[in-house]
Amino acid sequence: MTIPLLEYKPSSQNQRVAGYEVPNEDTPRIYRIEDCAFDSEVQELIWAAYRQIFSEHEILKFYRQTNLESQIKNRAITVRDFIRGLAKSETFRNLVVQTNSNYRLVDIALKRILGRASYNKDEEIAWSIKIATLGWNGFVDALINSQEYQSNFGDNIVPYQRRRYKDRPFNLVTPRYGNYWRDKLEDARYKAGDIKNFMELANSIEIKMLKFTPVNLASVEIPDMTRDINPQGIPVSINSSANFPVR
């Protein structure tokens, strides 16, 4: 039995209020597939999707989803399906999903998929229950199939941060893991002088017992170290009064 989404009261954030701002350099650029007439423009749309879903911290050519890219270039799938594929990819699961709690995953997914921050703690709890019951893939489907996503981005628009007029963009402030995971990695790292590492080193040392072999002193041969005092060769007489030539 699927647990329904818990009810929560949305807060009045800026994306829920009609704006009267004049467009400027902080206004997000909107990428639509119907505006892409050339291959270079489609490539810009693809990288915009990578920046939005993978964030600036995880964009590497090694993580590219070439199969999805080929389908979006051929118009075989919509932009919404491309976003769905990126969020469900094995790369995203290894980089983000496995290194975060459900609460932080909700915060990351709302910012990257719906383009807004979570309203409050009640919304984080409600969506975290969805992750626990449906899994990550089911949670992604619930967000992308929601009315909020459809009304703001539809099938052909890459998600973006809605009405970003203050602070830094989401893709710069949501690294792939939080402080608690970084602290966990720090605790597992070797630290010079740490008593825990010293005890591990001491326990890993293999103690070798010394074996003493008894020796019989009667069988020890001592070499003859006495000097021969008998004169050898022809004795030479030295006259102390002899004169030496001086030059």
Side-chain angles (χ1 to χ4, degrees), residues 234-240:
I234 302 175
V236 179
S237 177
I238 300 176
N239 186 1
S240 60

Side-chain angles (χ1 to χ4, degrees), residues 11-244:
S11 303
S12 296
Q13 297 180 353
N14 59 351
Q15 73 274 356
R16 301 185 65 239
V17 181
Y20 301 94
E21 298 88 351
V22 177
N24 52 36
E25 64 274 6
D26 291 330
T27 304
R29 178 180 174 182
I30 300 177
Y31 292 87
R32 296 182 177 89
I33 191 65
E34 56 263 34
D35 297 337
C36 300
F38 303 98
D39 182 71
S40 59
E41 295 175 342
V42 177
Q43 194 64 39
E44 290 181 3
L45 181 144
I46 290 174
W47 282 110
Y50 277 119
R51 289 194 302 270
Q52 181 66 23
I53 301 302
F54 280 78
S55 184
E56 299 286 353
H57 310 274
E58 299 119 30
I59 295 179
L60 292 175
K61 290 184 177 180
F62 178 76
Y63 297 141
R64 290 179 59 179
Q65 307 298 310
T66 55
N67 186 29
L68 291 174
E69 290 184 25
S70 176
Q71 294 181 64
I72 191 67
K73 289 178 180 179
N74 295 328
R75 306 298 198 275
I77 59 176
T78 63
V79 174
R80 183 166 71 158
D81 291 332
F82 182 67
I83 297 297
R84 190 194 310 269
L86 293 181
K88 289 184 177 182
S89 64
E90 190 66 23
T91 299
F92 190 89
R93 179 177 295 274
N94 294 335
L95 290 176
V96 181
V97 178
Q98 294 182 357
T99 58
N100 287 284
S101 65
N102 289 353
Y103 295 121
R104 178 166 170 78
L105 288 177
V106 170
D107 180 62
I108 291 176
L110 292 179
K111 290 178 178 178
R112 299 186 186 182
I113 296 179
L114 294 184
R116 65 168 177 85
S118 58
Y119 291 129
N120 44 48
K121 195 65 177 179
D122 292 338
E123 184 180 28
E124 292 184 4
I125 294 175
W127 283 115
S128 65
I129 295 176
K130 282 293 184 181
I131 298 178
T133 55
L134 301 178
W136 172 252
N137 290 347
F139 170 62
V140 171
D141 288 335
L143 290 182
I144 295 182
N145 296 335
S146 65
Q147 182 62 37
E148 181 179 359
Y149 184 96
Q150 186 64 30
S151 59
N152 286 281
F153 309 117
D155 291 333
N156 300 323
I157 299 178
V158 176
Y160 56 90
Q161 182 175 344
R162 292 179 272 162
R163 297 189 62 196
R164 175 172 60 86
Y165 290 94
K166 66 175 184 177
D167 301 328
R168 292 181 297 170
F170 289 152
N171 59 351
L172 293 179
V173 297
T174 54
R176 69 185 185 95
Y177 52 77
N179 296 336
Y180 76 98
W181 184 266
R182 183 170 61 248
D183 295 340
K184 182 179 180 181
L185 296 179
E186 181 67 16
D187 293 338
R189 185 176 64 86
Y190 176 82
K191 299 178 183 178
D194 193 345
I195 186 62
K196 180 186 66 175
N197 296 327
F198 174 78
M199 295 301 297
E200 292 178 355
L201 175 63
N203 293 330
S204 64
I205 296 177
E206 182 181 357
I207 301 177
K208 297 182 179 180
M209 301 299 295
L210 297 178
K211 296 181 179 180
F212 297 93
T213 304
V215 178
N216 186 5
L217 298 179
S219 61
V220 177
E221 296 184 0
I222 302 177
D224 186 8
M225 303 297 293
T226 59
R227 299 177 58 186
D228 187 3
I229 60 177
N230 295 326
Q232 301 292 334
I234 302 175
V236 179
S237 177
I238 300 176
N239 186 1
S240 60
S241 63
N243 295 326
F244 294 92

